[in-house]
Amino acid sequence: MQLIHLIKRESTNSLQTLVVLTVVSGIAQGLLLAIINNAAATAAFADLNFRYLLLFVIAIAIFIISKRVALERSFVMTEEVIAKLRIRITDKLRRSNLAVVERIGKSNVETRLSQDTLTLSQAAGEIVNAAQSAVMIVVCVGYLALLSKIAFYLTAAMIVGGVAIYLRNQRGINRELQLATVKETEFFVSLGHLMDGFKELKMNRAKSDDLFENHFKKICTDAERVKVRTGLEYVRNFIFSQTFFYVLIAVLVFLLPALNEGYSDVIVKTTAVVLFIIGPLTSLVSSIPIYARANVALGNLTQLEAFLDSPSAAAERLVAPAKIDFHGFKTITIEDATFTYFEEAGGQAAFSTGPFRLNFTAGETVFIVGGNGSGKSTLMKLLTGLYAPQAGALLVDGVRLQPAHYAAYRDLFSIVFTDFHLFDRLYGQSDIDEKQLAQLLTRMDLDEKTAYANGRFTNLNLSTGQKKRLALIVACLEDRPVLALDEFAADQDPEFRRFFYETLLPELKAAGKTIIAITHDDRYFHCADRVIKMEYGQVQPAA
């Protein structure tokens, strides 16, 4: 019922109308059997037969029109709900902090918003068909009660018993379906490693073989095993339902005439009823796994959204952003701030940083240095508000940041991190000075590599160093008070590296920018006002 409640809650279209149309189409289809049976019994009477023909035409017209409209509405409603789910979950994701998004994982989000929503979409028509079939079966069984009470009781008892056994078996299949979705997520994670790390794998056959043979294939094999097990259980259940139908027919044709003498007069009609409902009953039974998969998919989406709504994940998102402007700040203070990474399995602390006690003054250039894994990037993420301190606080001119302040606080920063993403458009910048942009492209030696035309960059197929330069151009165009750079010069040639440290950074500082840069270039440390050194997640005392 989760899916029905979701559609009722989320859709702007009336679910009652869909239900009415489904019931009408089921009744019309059921009445067709009664009309055909009575017409066959009065075939010798032309007037009666014409009347039944007219009734048949009316019934089938009602059936076709109501079912078509019901299916159309179901698709419209389902796609509307799916679009709302995707938009709402994506909106919650973008307004969560970085630690929350990293914990969820890219593959998990992609699986939920693509595969699970596709499952819901595909289930819509099947569920409407199943509901219509259920109504039709009720009408036909009611007609069977008029024909023969004993046939009705026997058929109803067998259908109830058969469905009960089928649903009991289906509960085990549902558990396997849930496990299958977990394996599918693992598959996408492994596939992501293969695609994202293609260059590294191509250059290292042992690494490629290990990933493929010992991880990717194993995950695929595990997923296959779960799906085959689920499929075999479904086949057994399906064969049981088919066998059940023919046993029912055998009882009606061979057993009941021997037990009830009067039954022989209606045996053809009762057998026709059972034969008529086999198709719809098969459709109804076959829809149960589809409905189960849809519920599992909806459960996954609900679980994802529930995590995004949890107090720890939604602390910042659930408060209204404060109307505060930090531009023109004098100092930013990190006061005893800490951040710890936890292992996914077991929740054990994997790496801790801090506590940090640091001050940054507007207009200064600060370099953050240290070995790999020393905590430089974590410090930068805390400083820029991408991570919220798990203890301690951030202060701007003595104002302690609360969750409602973080959106305004992040407006101080333009960033170029090592794992930056380069967008093809200047999102968020409506009034673009294209002359300034052209000058920056020339200055960064990119004017012959790309241009800005028709609202987008013409070419992003650049080297890593060139992409970083283009990202720096975008950051400069944002014109925010603080520029945060993570190993920007690492992929630049020596000439541009010197230009960056000795010319570009001083110019940005002269323009009033505060520059905070992670770097390993010790030969250019003199270009900073001060250098912060880190080791093992801690800031080291100044030498």
Side-chain angles (χ1 to χ4, degrees), residues 211 241 245 365 385:
L211 171 64
S241 66
F245 295 140
T365 298

Side-chain angles (χ1 to χ4, degrees), residues 18-38:
L18 177 61
V19 171
V20 169
L21 288 168
T22 302
V23 170
V24 168
S25 65
I27 292 173
Q29 188 179 13
L31 290 176
L32 285 172
L33 173 63
I35 294 170
I36 291 169
N37 264 348
N38 288 324

Side-chain angles (χ1 to χ4, degrees), residues 72-119:
E72 289 174 349
R73 279 181 173 264
S74 71
F75 286 122
V76 170
M77 293 169 72
T78 305
E79 292 306 323
E80 176 194 9
V81 170
I82 288 172
K84 284 185 175 180
L85 273 175
R86 284 175 166 171
I87 291 170
R88 187 170 66 241
I89 290 175
T90 303
D91 186 46
K92 290 178 179 180
L93 273 169
R94 76 184 182 90
R95 293 192 288 123
S96 300
N97 67 45
L98 179 62
V100 171
V101 175
E102 289 176 340
R103 183 176 172 185
I104 295 172
K106 176 184 174 183
S107 297
N108 191 33
V109 173
E110 289 177 344
T111 304
R112 299 290 82 85
L113 295 185
S114 60
Q115 185 174 322
D116 285 342
T117 53
L118 179 62
T119 299

Side-chain angles (χ1 to χ4, degrees), residues 10-249:
E10 300 282 351
S11 179
T12 56
N13 292 290
S14 172
L15 184 62
Q16 291 179 341
T17 303
L18 177 61
V19 171
V20 169
L21 288 168
T22 302
V23 170
V24 168
S25 65
I27 292 173
Q29 188 179 13
L31 290 176
L32 285 172
L33 173 63
I35 294 170
I36 291 169
N37 264 348
N38 288 324
T42 60
F45 304 96
D47 290 343
L48 277 176
N49 225 31
F50 177 77
R51 190 181 306 167
Y52 283 123
L53 174 61
L54 185 61
L55 289 173
F56 176 84
V57 171
I58 294 171
I60 200 167
I62 293 172
F63 164 68
I64 291 172
I65 293 171
S66 58
K67 184 163 186 177
R68 189 194 72 183
V69 176
L71 287 172
E72 289 174 349
R73 279 181 173 264
S74 71
F75 286 122
V76 170
M77 293 169 72
T78 305
E79 292 306 323
E80 176 194 9
V81 170
I82 288 172
K84 284 185 175 180
L85 273 175
R86 284 175 166 171
I87 291 170
R88 187 170 66 241
I89 290 175
T90 303
D91 186 46
K92 290 178 179 180
L93 273 169
R94 76 184 182 90
R95 293 192 288 123
S96 300
N97 67 45
L98 179 62
V100 171
V101 175
E102 289 176 340
R103 183 176 172 185
I104 295 172
K106 176 184 174 183
S107 297
N108 191 33
V109 173
E110 289 177 344
T111 304
R112 299 290 82 85
L113 295 185
S114 60
Q115 185 174 322
D116 285 342
T117 53
L118 179 62
T119 299
L120 293 180
S121 179
Q122 293 172 338
E126 295 295 336
I127 291 173
V128 169
N129 277 330
Q132 184 263 333
S133 295
V135 174
M136 180 265 190
I137 291 168
V138 170
V139 173
C140 287
V141 172
Y143 175 58
L144 186 63
L146 296 176
L147 295 174
S148 169
K149 290 290 189 296
I150 188 170
F152 164 74
Y153 290 131
L154 181 62
T155 301
M158 290 190 69
I159 288 177
V160 170
V163 170
I165 295 171
Y166 188 95
L167 291 177
R168 184 195 66 188
N169 296 337
Q170 186 63 36
R171 283 195 290 271
I173 296 175
N174 291 346
R175 289 191 293 270
E176 295 295 334
L177 285 172
Q178 185 67 55
L179 181 58
T181 63
V182 173
K183 293 299 179 184
E184 284 295 302
T185 301
E186 291 179 3
F187 165 77
F188 281 109
V189 170
S190 184
L191 182 62
H193 285 308
L194 192 149
M195 297 303 295
D196 294 339
F198 185 82
K199 295 187 296 296
E200 291 79 0
L201 294 175
K202 198 66 177 175
M203 295 301 297
N204 189 323
R205 188 166 55 184
K207 182 185 292 186
S208 176
D209 291 345
D210 187 19
L211 171 64
F212 184 74
E213 297 292 338
N214 299 325
H215 293 275
F216 186 82
K217 283 179 67 174
K218 182 179 183 300
I219 291 169
C220 288
T221 303
D222 289 345
E224 175 196 10
R225 190 178 299 115
V226 172
K227 288 181 177 180
V228 167
R229 192 162 61 233
T230 305
L232 292 178
E233 288 297 326
Y234 167 73
V235 168
R236 295 187 189 102
N237 239 9
F238 182 77
I239 294 301
F240 164 77
S241 66
Q242 294 295 297
T243 304
F244 157 81
F245 295 140
Y246 293 109
V247 170
L248 176 59
I249 292 173

